[in-house]
């Protein structure tokens, strides 16, 4: 018979065991669960001792008990006697009471176990608790009543605690209980979450035993990474981090019944995040109803508000919401009322493609084609601004934007029908509230309404003075944390969006006009499955939890949501990335443009060429996904860099160098020198060699250093590109065409040097412009030679015109 049982099977655990007369249960993590990652996290809620102090006091108390009584079982009072040896008995009793209250606030009954207990009592079975704990039976019984309710406590006939019997389950407590009850051991079924203490010890005592497996190894790892992420995100917070994970119970019950990886991503990660957001939206809407004069209309902005709306509707079924199609494109178009508005828009869009700007200004395709032909290659934006400031063109823009705003008003009246004095509550993922910034003034003037923006994640780069709040915002986290969370938010956007094109206009009778969706059908199908899992979690989030009615602890919900979101963003699991492998990101600016969500080949090349510093300037949508396979240390480094805003320079990543001998030939003479190669990643080094105006051929004398080596890449690029903070792998690179002298290529990138004279000769590329060029060689030593000469070294920093600690 299988000796392991899952949460979903617990209610029927007795069905195939007619001979069982007594149901025996472990308490913690079986009947009673905590809403924290680990039991010790509760200690962070204590006023006085730190978590570490409380843990060390328990260790000392157990050591003292082992020396005095030859067992290490202790009572809670013994622990506080060690923790506060000079406190009075009344003071220590207050400390004990505080810990019991903290446990009661963070514990709850696990529904599947309670259903099993109810089934046992319906069959006339005795129900007992056997627990390894420093609480006594009275304290544990009171805790069960406080955390799960008096009805659950009434289901229990007897409670046996290791602290009262001087022995743990692993040391024979279950056998002692059998003798105390005076029953046949094989008529007892014992179930608990600890394989050694509950299954092995139970079988040793002769009782029927089952190991309750809460989570699979993969789930345990994900929750562990969430806890680690939470510690980093909440480091330095004013309030202690309890590592709350209120979703643990729902995941233990529901996850084994979900078999699709995409649905699992929704159920286990996106679900807890958006469930917390939905709870907060409900509270914010209730507050607005109390403070505003009219009706509150909850508008989820499409497309990214699609999944948040589905989740909110699943948990607040009695509240009407609206799927409102106002995009950044339509909000901007409706906001351009004056010439000054247009010029301000143009100032903000310097660097944006002229085609996108002209599309936003509502020019027709034929008009755009004509204007684009007139723009010079250099100074295109300035020329575009001059062209747009033409009086006739400006008048055309303003006429079209006014008409656009009227069509938007018709759409809102037709779909929402707000009255003057009502409040439109705009709900979106965030992150700057750009749509609200653009649309607030037109909506106030057009409809006579108030506007309130409520966002999952809000980190404004200015202070517009509007009514904006975020579930996660500056009231809770510093700007470095908010920026870190926004950096990889494209993955959340693509999961939450609706399977339709973005709205680009409205008909005269108020129907939205959408652009054709540029996202592939396979991605939409996967997204639908993720969203299905997300909504399923929202519906099941509380079904596993039994506790007396109490207000939701929004601080705990928020911190757990942030931890789950940050874990997905920085430490994604392989199965999650498999579900997102083919995802693309559309920029949603009224133009048909998509980019891959992540590309591991680009990351691998960037790391080998530039090392960890590559991550500083990588213009990627979901960079941590690209780092999968490069090790946890790399992803943690990225997370720390973003979370704390570390001002690290390229030189800070260098802890060793290689002096590489080279030949420099200009067609008339050949000189010898050395170049300093610096480490990048995974044992690779990069040797940057200046070649000025493409006059010099370079010979790399690898044979003097190595018998075997790998050469990852040999490319030319402009010096300013190599030194740029925004350097990207592959940008402006020209592949070199080397010749080999005394070197043999034994495989892809693998070379053998016959002797010390072996070298790789690299002629310069054709000169394209006046920019200084350089050769970048990325290689990895495999087998070293014994002797290494040290001729004079080229001062690369001087040739590049930089200081040694400048960022590259």
């Amino acid at each position: 018979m299988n000796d392991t049982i899952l949460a979903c099977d617990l209610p029927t655990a007795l069905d195939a065991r007619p001979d069982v007369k007594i149901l025996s249960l472990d308490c913690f993590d079986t009947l009673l669960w905590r809403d924290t990652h680990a039991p010790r996290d509760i200690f962070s809620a204590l006023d006085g001792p730190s978590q570490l102090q409380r843990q060390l006091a328990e260790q000392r108390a157990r050591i003292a008990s082992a020396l005095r009584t030859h067992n290490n079982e202790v009572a809670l009072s013994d622990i506080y006697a060690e923790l506060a040896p000079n406190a009075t008995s009344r003071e220590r009793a207050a400390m004990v009471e505080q810990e019991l209250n903290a446990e009661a606030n963070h514990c709850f009954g696990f529904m599947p176990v309670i259903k099993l207990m109810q089934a046992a009592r319906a069959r006339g079975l005795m129900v007992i608790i056997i627990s390894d704990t420093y609480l006594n039976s009275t304290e544990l019984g009171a805790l069960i009543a406080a955390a799960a309710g008096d009805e659950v406590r009434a289901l229990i006939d007897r409670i046996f605690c290791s602290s009262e019997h001087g022995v743990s389950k692993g040391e024979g407590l279950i056998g002692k209980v059998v003798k105390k009850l005076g029953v046949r051991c094989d008529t007892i079924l014992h179930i608990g979450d600890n394989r050694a203490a509950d299954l092995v010890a139970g079988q040793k005592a002769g009782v029927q035993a089952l190991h309750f497996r809460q989570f699979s190894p993969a789930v345990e790892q994900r929750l562990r990474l969430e806890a680690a992420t939470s510690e980093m995100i909440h480091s330095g917070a004013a309030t202690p981090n309890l590592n709350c994970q209120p979703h643990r119970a729902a995941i233990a019950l529901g996850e084994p019944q979900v078999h699709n990886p995409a649905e699992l991503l929704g159920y286990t990660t996106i679900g807890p995040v958006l469930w917390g957001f939905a709870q907060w939206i409900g509270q914010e809407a209730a507050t607005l109803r109390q403070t505003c004069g009219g009706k509150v209309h909850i508008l989820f902005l499409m497309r990214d508000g699609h999944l948040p709306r589905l989740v909110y509707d699943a948990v607040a079924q009695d509240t009407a919401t609206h799927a409102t199609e106002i995009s950044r494109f339509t909000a901007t178009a409706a906001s351009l009322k004056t010439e000054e508005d247009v010029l301000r828009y143009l100032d903000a869009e310097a660097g944006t493609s002229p085609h996108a700007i002209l599309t936003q200004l509502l020019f027709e395709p034929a008009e755009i084609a004509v204007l684009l032909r007139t723009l010079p290659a250099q100074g295109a934006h300035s020329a575009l601004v001059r062209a747009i400031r033409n009086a006739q063109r400006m008048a055309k823009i303003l006429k079209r934007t006014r008409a656009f705003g009227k069509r938007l008003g018709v759409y809102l009246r037709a779909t929402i029908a707000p009255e003057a004095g009502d409040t439109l509550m705009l709900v979106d993922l965030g992150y700057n509230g750009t749509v609200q910034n653009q649309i607030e003034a037109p909506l106030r003037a057009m409809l006579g309404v108030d506007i309130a923006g409520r966002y999952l994640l809000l980190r404004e780069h200015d202070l517009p003075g509007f009514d904006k709040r975020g579930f996660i915002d500056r009231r809770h986290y510093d700007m470095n944390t908010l920026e870190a969370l926004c950096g990889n938010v494209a993955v959340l956007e693509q999961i939450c969006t609706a399977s339709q094109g973005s709205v680009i206009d409205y008909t005269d009778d108020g129907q939205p006009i959408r652009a054709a969706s540029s996202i592939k059908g396979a991605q939409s199908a996967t997204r639908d499955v993720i969203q299905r899992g997300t909504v399923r979690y929202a519906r099941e989030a509380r079904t596993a939890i039994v506790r007396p009615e109490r207000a939701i602890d929004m601080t705990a919900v928020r911190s757990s949501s942030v931890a789950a979101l940050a874990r997905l963003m920085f430490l994604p699991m392989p199965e999650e990335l498999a579900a997102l492998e083919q995802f693309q990101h559309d920029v949603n600016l009224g133009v048909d443009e998509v980019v891959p969500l992540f590309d591991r080949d680009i990351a691998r090349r960037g790391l080998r060429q530039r090392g960890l510093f590559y991550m500083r300037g990588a213009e990627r949508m979901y960079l941590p996904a690209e780092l999968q396979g490069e090790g946890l240390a790399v992803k943690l480094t990225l997370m720390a860099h973003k979370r704390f805003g570390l001002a690290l320079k390229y030189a800070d990543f260098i802890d060793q160098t290689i002096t590489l001998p080279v030949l420099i030939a200009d067609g008339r003479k050949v000189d010898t020198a050395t170049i300093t190669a610096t480490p990048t990643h995974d044992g690779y080094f990069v040797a940057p060699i200046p070649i000025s105006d493409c006059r010099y051929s370079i010979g790399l004398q690898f044979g003097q250093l190595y018998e075997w080596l790998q050469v990852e890449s040999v490319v030319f690029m402009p010096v300013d590109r190599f030194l740029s903070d925004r350097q990207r792998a592959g940008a402006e690179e020209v592949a070199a065409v080397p010749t080999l002298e005394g070197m043999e290529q034994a495989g892809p990138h693998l070379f053998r040097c016959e002797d010390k004279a072996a070298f790789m000769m690299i002629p310069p590329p054709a000169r394209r412009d006046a920019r200084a060029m350089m050769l970048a060689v990325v290689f990895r030593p495999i087998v070293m030679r014994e002797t290494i000469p040290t001729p004079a070294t080229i001062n690369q920093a001087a040739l590049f015109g930089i200081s040694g600690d400048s960022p590259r």
Side-chain angles (χ1 to χ4, degrees):
M1 185 177 291
N2 191 354
D3 58 10
T4 298
I5 190 168
L6 300 178
C8 55
D9 298 322
L10 281 168
T12 58
L14 293 168
D15 287 0
R17 300 174 187 269
D19 54 336
V20 171
K21 305 301 181 186
I22 298 175
L23 174 64
S24 170
L25 297 168
D26 170 52
C27 183
F28 292 104
D29 295 318
T30 301
L31 169 59
L32 283 190
W33 285 44
R34 298 176 177 92
D35 57 17
T36 59
H37 175 69
R40 64 177 179 274
D41 294 323
I42 295 293
F43 304 150
S44 296
L46 302 178
D47 182 16
S50 68
Q51 182 188 106
L52 180 60
Q53 287 173 322
R54 169 60 180 78
Q55 289 179 267
L56 293 175
E58 182 174 342
Q59 290 179 13
R60 293 195 301 271
R62 292 188 183 280
I63 292 171
S65 176
L67 292 173
R68 291 193 302 266
T69 66
H70 303 292
N71 75 75
N72 65 356
E73 295 300 320
V74 296
L76 192 55
S77 57
D78 299 326
I79 295 171
Y80 279 92
E82 287 288 339
L83 180 62
N86 297 317
T88 65
S89 58
R90 178 176 295 181
E91 289 170 337
R92 286 200 290 268
M95 294 179 185
V96 169
E97 186 67 20
Q98 179 192 202
E99 180 168 328
L100 291 172
N101 289 336
E103 290 280 14
N105 288 334
H106 290 279
C107 284
F108 57 85
F110 190 50
M111 177 60 83
V113 175
I114 293 171
K115 287 184 176 179
L116 172 61
M117 295 166 67
Q118 292 168 340
R121 293 306 295 264
R123 289 175 51 173
L125 274 59
M126 175 186 287
V127 177
I128 65 174
I129 298 294
I130 305 179
S131 177
D132 287 341
T133 178
Y134 38 72
L135 304 183
N136 59 43
S137 57
T138 300
E139 292 169 335
L140 187 55
L143 176 59
I144 293 170
D150 292 330
E151 298 84 356
V152 174
R153 175 63 184 89
L155 296 173
I156 302 167
D157 296 290
R158 302 280 298 273
I159 297 177
F160 301 91
C161 299
S162 62
S163 61
E164 293 179 308
H165 293 271
V167 62
S168 67
K169 285 180 283 188
E171 296 167 332
L173 177 58
I174 297 176
K176 279 193 170 187
V177 170
V178 172
K179 291 180 180 178
K180 195 171 190 68
L181 294 175
V183 297
R184 285 175 44 191
C185 58
D186 59 357
T187 63
I188 298 177
L189 171 63
H190 178 77
I191 301 176
D193 69 293
N194 188 299
R195 188 170 187 86
D198 295 303
L199 176 65
V200 176
Q203 291 174 337
K204 186 177 180 180
V207 305
Q208 299 182 52
L210 288 172
H211 171 225
F212 165 39
R213 194 184 75 180
Q214 295 174 305
F215 307 111
S216 68
V219 177
E220 289 179 349
Q221 182 186 22
R222 188 180 65 242
L223 293 173
R224 188 166 60 249
L225 291 175
E226 273 186 28
T229 302
S230 182
E231 291 289 0
M232 291 187 68
I233 290 292
H234 296 101
S235 175
T239 56
N241 177 33
L242 269 65
N243 250 325
C244 289
Q245 292 181 339
H247 48 289
R248 288 168 59 85
I251 287 173
L253 179 57
E255 182 160 4
Q257 303 175 74
V258 180
H259 305 293
N260 184 295
E263 188 173 356
L264 274 174
L265 170 58
Y267 193 91
T268 61
T269 300
I270 308 301
V273 173
L274 294 187
W275 180 87
F277 183 40
Q279 299 299 323
W280 179 76
I281 287 296
Q283 291 186 2
E284 291 294 304
T287 300
L288 284 173
R289 293 188 189 100
Q290 294 173 359
T291 57
C292 73
K295 183 178 179 180
V296 175
H297 304 268
I298 304 178
L299 279 57
F300 286 84
L301 298 183
M302 299 294 108
R303 298 175 298 161
D304 294 350
H306 173 68
L307 182 55
R309 182 184 183 227
L310 295 180
V311 172
Y312 183 82
D313 288 349
V315 301
Q317 299 176 5
D318 59 341
T319 304
T321 63
H322 300 276
T324 306
E325 297 193 54
I326 304 177
S327 65
R328 186 168 27 149
F329 180 86
T330 61
T332 301
S335 71
L336 302 176
K337 299 295 185 182
T338 67
E339 181 175 348
E340 182 60 31
D341 293 335
V342 175
L343 295 178
R344 191 180 305 112
Y345 164 76
L346 290 171
D347 289 343
E349 296 301 316
T352 301
S353 77
H355 188 280
I357 291 174
L358 291 169
T359 301
Q360 179 65 80
L361 295 177
L362 306 183
F363 283 92
E364 299 291 341
E367 296 170 329
I368 293 174
V370 171
L371 277 168
L372 290 179
R373 284 198 296 268
T374 67
L375 298 181
Q378 300 293 327
H381 186 75
S382 297
L384 179 64
V385 172
R386 289 193 297 271
I388 289 172
R389 295 191 69 172
N390 172 277
Q392 289 183 329
R393 290 195 182 100
M394 185 63 71
K396 185 182 293 185
I397 291 170
L398 296 179
K399 180 181 178 179
R400 290 173 177 176
T401 55
R402 284 193 296 271
F404 193 101
K406 290 179 181 178
R407 293 195 296 274
L408 172 60
V410 173
Y411 163 71
L412 291 174
R413 292 188 183 95
T415 56
I416 302 167
E419 297 183 0
D422 286 355
T423 296
L424 303 186
M425 180 176 170
L426 309 182
V427 182
D428 199 0
L429 295 181
Y431 314 94
N432 196 52
T434 303
V435 168
Q436 182 181 355
N437 290 348
Q438 301 286 10
I439 207 68
E440 175 145 343
L443 291 186
R444 285 180 178 275
M446 190 188 314
L447 303 174
V449 295
D450 291 326
I451 307 295
R454 297 296 182 263
Y455 304 95
L456 173 71
L457 175 59
L458 180 64
R459 61 95 177 89
E460 294 181 280
H461 286 162
D462 56 5
L463 298 173
F466 296 143
D467 180 1
K468 290 185 187 178
R469 291 166 69 91
F471 178 49
I472 307 162
D473 64 17
R474 286 188 64 189
R475 295 170 300 147
H476 320 108
Y477 298 96
D478 61 35
M479 283 301 289
N480 284 332
T481 301
L482 297 177
E483 289 289 347
L485 292 173
C486 288
N488 301 307
V489 81
V491 62
L492 185 64
E493 291 176 336
Q494 286 306 316
I495 288 172
C496 289
T497 192
S499 298
Q500 63 190 34
S502 180
V503 61
I504 55 174
D505 204 344
Y506 310 91
T507 63
D508 291 338
D509 61 351
Q511 296 300 312
I513 300 172
R514 307 183 187 99
S517 177
S518 52
I519 295 300
K520 297 177 181 178
Q523 176 170 328
S524 295
T526 300
R527 180 172 54 213
D528 289 345
V529 176
I530 296 173
Q531 293 181 356
R532 184 177 70 215
T534 302
V535 175
R536 176 175 175 177
Y537 173 86
R539 292 179 176 141
E540 298 177 359
R542 311 303 285 177
T543 58
I545 294 175
V546 176
R547 70 192 327 164
E549 191 66 32
R550 66 181 68 175
I552 291 177
D553 183 349
M554 194 54 65
T555 299
V557 170
R558 178 181 292 108
S559 66
S560 66
S561 297
V562 169
L565 181 60
R567 199 277 309 156
L568 174 66
M569 288 183 168
F570 288 99
L571 304 176
M573 303 290 287
E575 56 271 21
E576 293 169 336
L577 296 182
L580 300 170
E581 187 77 46
Q582 303 302 320
F583 267 44
Q584 293 180 313
H585 180 68
D586 52 339
V587 297
N588 191 21
L589 288 173
V591 294
D592 184 15
E593 183 179 345
V594 297
V595 293
L597 192 59
F598 58 93
D599 187 326
R600 293 197 187 103
D601 289 338
I602 290 178
R604 186 176 298 110
R605 185 176 186 187
L607 284 169
R608 290 179 177 180
Q609 286 187 344
R610 303 301 301 272
L612 295 178
F613 200 73
Y614 141 81
M615 297 186 296
R616 173 173 176 175
E619 297 175 338
R620 309 301 303 154
M621 293 291 102
Y622 190 15
L623 180 56
E626 299 185 345
L627 301 177
Q628 187 70 19
E630 303 298 336
L632 180 61
V634 175
K635 287 181 281 190
L636 285 177
T637 299
L638 173 64
M639 182 177 174
H641 170 69
K642 299 295 186 182
R643 159 64 182 91
F644 298 107
L646 304 180
L648 297 176
K649 296 181 180 294
Y650 181 75
D652 301 325
F653 291 88
I654 298 173
D655 58 0
Q656 63 175 318
T657 60
I658 290 176
T659 302
L660 178 65
V662 299
L663 304 171
I664 304 175
D666 64 358
R668 297 188 304 274
K669 62 177 181 177
V670 177
D671 293 323
T672 61
T674 60
I675 290 290
T676 299
T678 53
T680 57
H681 175 70
D682 199 23
Y684 284 88
F685 288 76
V686 60
I689 307 167
I691 60 168
S692 186
D693 54 0
C694 301
R695 284 182 296 157
Y696 300 104
S697 294
I698 302 297
L700 305 171
Q701 296 181 283
F702 287 127
Q704 292 194 27
L705 304 181
Y706 312 115
E707 294 181 13
W708 288 87
L709 76 154
Q710 288 178 274
V711 180
E712 174 69 14
S713 62
V714 183
V715 297
F716 296 99
M717 70 178 69
V719 171
D720 57 3
R721 167 57 66 183
F722 183 77
L723 300 178
S724 171
D725 274 353
R726 308 305 296 179
Q727 198 274 340
R728 291 173 293 167
E732 297 187 276
E733 292 181 0
V734 178
V737 184
T739 58
L740 304 178
E741 297 292 338
M743 292 180 64
E744 174 190 3
Q745 185 167 0
H749 304 288
L750 180 63
F751 294 85
R752 183 180 71 87
C753 298
E754 296 175 358
D755 52 33
K756 291 183 180 181
F759 66 96
M760 176 181 288
M761 198 69 189
I762 305 165
R767 188 174 184 183
R768 295 183 175 181
D769 52 40
R771 288 194 292 177
M773 297 291 288
M774 58 162 289
L775 171 66
V777 183
V778 177
F779 65 96
R780 178 162 63 178
I782 302 297
V783 179
M784 308 287 292
R785 289 199 188 276
E786 294 184 0
T787 59
I788 300 177
T790 55
T793 301
I794 292 178
N795 186 337
Q796 291 146 288
L799 285 173
F800 290 151
I802 60 172
S803 61
D805 64 348
S806 294
R808 295 200 274 182

